[in-house]
Amino acid sequence: MRRAVFALLALLPFALYAQGDYPNKPIRMVVGFAAGGISDVLGRAITIPLSKQLGQQVIVENKPGAGTTIAGDFTVRSAPDGYNLWLQDITTHAINNTLYPRLPYDSMKDFSFIAMVASTPLMLVVHPSTPASNVRELIELLKSNPGKYSYGSSGNGTIVHLSGEMLKSVAGVEVLHVPYKGSNPATQAILGGEVTFVFSTMPPAISNSKAGKLRALAVTTPKRVPAAPEVPTMIEAGVPNFEIVLYSGVLGPKGLDRAIVRKLNAEFARAVQSAEMKQVWQNIGADPIVMSPQEFEAATAREIAKLAPVVKASGAKLE
C-alpha cells in the first residue's frame, strides 16, 4: 500500500506540470467562416476574457470555404498540443457528416471535444423590395413564381444552406440556392438585392432589420428571442415543426492531452459566463452553454443522428 502511495506521489509533479505549463505561447482559434458571421463574432468576443484567464493571447484566424471542411482539415492535421483550436459551427459539423460522402476526416473520431459554448437561432430575412411581409406571403410568392427567386447562404453544407433546403421541402417551392463564402458576403448579397431571402445568423440580421435595410420574418428557434421579441418563430408563422438551433463549440485535433482538455473546458465555461460576454449574448440572442467534454461529444453525436434524415430528405449532397 505504501509503495502505491509513493508511486502516485512521484507522478503528481508531472501531472501538475502538464496542466500548469499550458499555455506558454499564443493560441490560434480557427473559424471556418469569413468575418462577420456568428462564429466569427462569438470567437472574437470570447477571446477577450479567455486571453485574460489563460495569460496568453488567443487569436482568431478565419479559414472559410467548403462548408467549414477546410478549417476542419486544418485542425485534424495540427499537432495535438492545445495551440490550434477550432471554434466550430457544430450544427454545420453534424450536417457535413451526411452532406459530404467523402470528408477528409471522421466527424467524431478525428477530434478532441473540448467545450460547447453557445446556441443561437437563425433569422429569416428578405430584401425590403420583396412583396412579402410574413412567411406565408413569402411561400405564396415562391409558389406562384417557380424558379424566379433565390436564397443565399454562407456556403454549401452550412446550416444556412440546409435551412433554405428545408423551406423548399416543407413548402413545396422551387427556388435557386446561391452559396457565398461566409455570412458577411451573403448579407451583402441580400442587401444588394442579389437574392430574395437568407436564413441569416443573428448579428447581421438584427442590425440590418432594425435599420430598415432588411425585413425580418421569423426566427428558427422554438421560442422568440429577447433580442428581437417582435419577430415570430417559424412555427408561429405557420410552418409546423420548423425548428433549427445553431450550436457553437470548440474542437481540437485527436489525441489532445486530457489535462489540457479539462483546463480548456473550465476556462471556456468561465469565459462564456463572463461580464465581457453578457452584452454579446444580449445583442445576438445567444444562450451560453456549459458542458463537460463528454457531454459535448455525446451532444454532437445526437446532432449528427438528428440531422442526417433532414439532409437526406432535402436531397442536398456535395462532393
Side-chain angles (χ1 to χ4, degrees):
M1 180 67 178
R2 184 176 295 179
R3 288 183 179 179
V5 172
F6 282 138
L8 288 172
L9 290 174
L11 290 172
L12 186 58
F14 294 98
L16 291 175
Y17 176 78
Q19 296 180 58
D21 189 52
Y22 173 85
N24 56 25
K25 62 180 181 180
I27 297 170
R28 171 166 46 190
M29 189 160 64
V30 173
V31 170
F33 297 100
I38 187 68
S39 295
D40 183 69
V41 171
L42 283 175
R44 294 184 187 280
I46 207 169
T47 59
I48 298 172
L50 197 62
S51 297
K52 294 177 184 177
Q53 293 165 202
L54 293 172
Q56 291 289 344
Q57 192 70 31
V58 182
I59 302 165
V60 169
E61 183 174 323
N62 299 87
K63 287 187 177 294
T68 75
T69 62
I70 291 174
D73 191 46
F74 172 83
T75 302
V76 299
R77 294 175 185 274
S78 299
D81 55 10
Y83 292 99
N84 286 288
L85 309 177
W86 183 19
L87 178 61
Q88 168 60 309
D89 172 346
I90 292 301
T91 313
T92 290
H93 187 66
I95 291 168
N96 286 347
N97 191 73
T98 303
L99 192 68
Y100 288 86
R102 289 184 291 274
L103 277 174
Y105 49 78
D106 186 291
S107 302
M108 294 298 298
K109 296 178 181 178
D110 289 339
F111 297 94
S112 295
F113 290 81
I114 297 171
M116 189 84 87
V117 295
S119 67
T120 54
L122 295 175
M123 181 178 279
L124 173 58
V125 293
V126 297
H127 189 270
S129 65
T130 305
S133 59
N134 56 52
V135 176
R136 287 185 182 275
E137 290 180 1
L138 175 64
I139 291 173
E140 287 303 317
L141 179 69
L142 300 177
K143 282 184 174 180
S144 302
N145 300 273
K148 178 180 178 181
Y149 294 100
S150 61
Y151 76 93
S153 81
S154 50
N156 286 318
T158 62
I159 189 62
V160 178
H161 171 206
L162 186 61
S163 298
E165 292 300 309
M166 284 179 63
L167 183 62
K168 285 173 59 177
S169 178
V170 299
V173 297
E174 183 181 338
V175 58
L176 177 68
H177 170 225
V178 183
Y180 295 90
K181 288 188 176 181
S183 294
N184 193 48
T187 300
Q188 294 306 312
I190 192 169
L191 287 172
E194 295 176 24
V195 293
T196 308
F197 69 90
V198 173
F199 279 93
S200 175
T201 54
M202 292 296 278
I206 289 178
S207 61
N208 285 300
S209 61
K210 287 185 175 179
K213 297 178 180 179
L214 295 175
R215 184 181 302 136
L217 301 189
V219 292
T220 61
T221 38
K223 296 180 180 180
R224 298 191 185 197
V225 297
E230 74 285 358
V231 181
T233 68
M234 287 291 288
I235 296 171
E236 288 176 326
V239 187
N241 302 316
F242 197 107
E243 178 186 326
I244 292 177
V245 180
L246 181 64
Y247 293 104
S248 300
V250 182
L251 304 175
K254 178 182 177 181
L256 191 57
D257 186 271
R258 300 310 298 173
I260 292 177
V261 170
R262 287 192 296 270
K263 180 180 179 65
L264 285 172
N265 179 270
E267 297 299 343
F268 272 104
R270 283 180 60 197
V272 300
Q273 298 173 95
S274 66
E276 288 91 338
M277 292 298 294
K278 286 182 179 178
Q279 191 63 46
V280 176
W281 302 132
Q282 182 178 335
N283 289 344
I284 63 177
D287 289 318
I289 299 180
V290 175
M291 287 184 180
S292 70
Q294 295 77 20
E295 290 170 333
F296 176 28
E297 185 172 0
T300 303
R302 288 195 299 272
E303 281 293 290
I304 289 173
K306 181 181 77 175
L307 291 170
V310 178
V311 175
K312 291 174 182 177
S314 75
K317 182 179 287 188
L318 297 173
E319 297 295 330

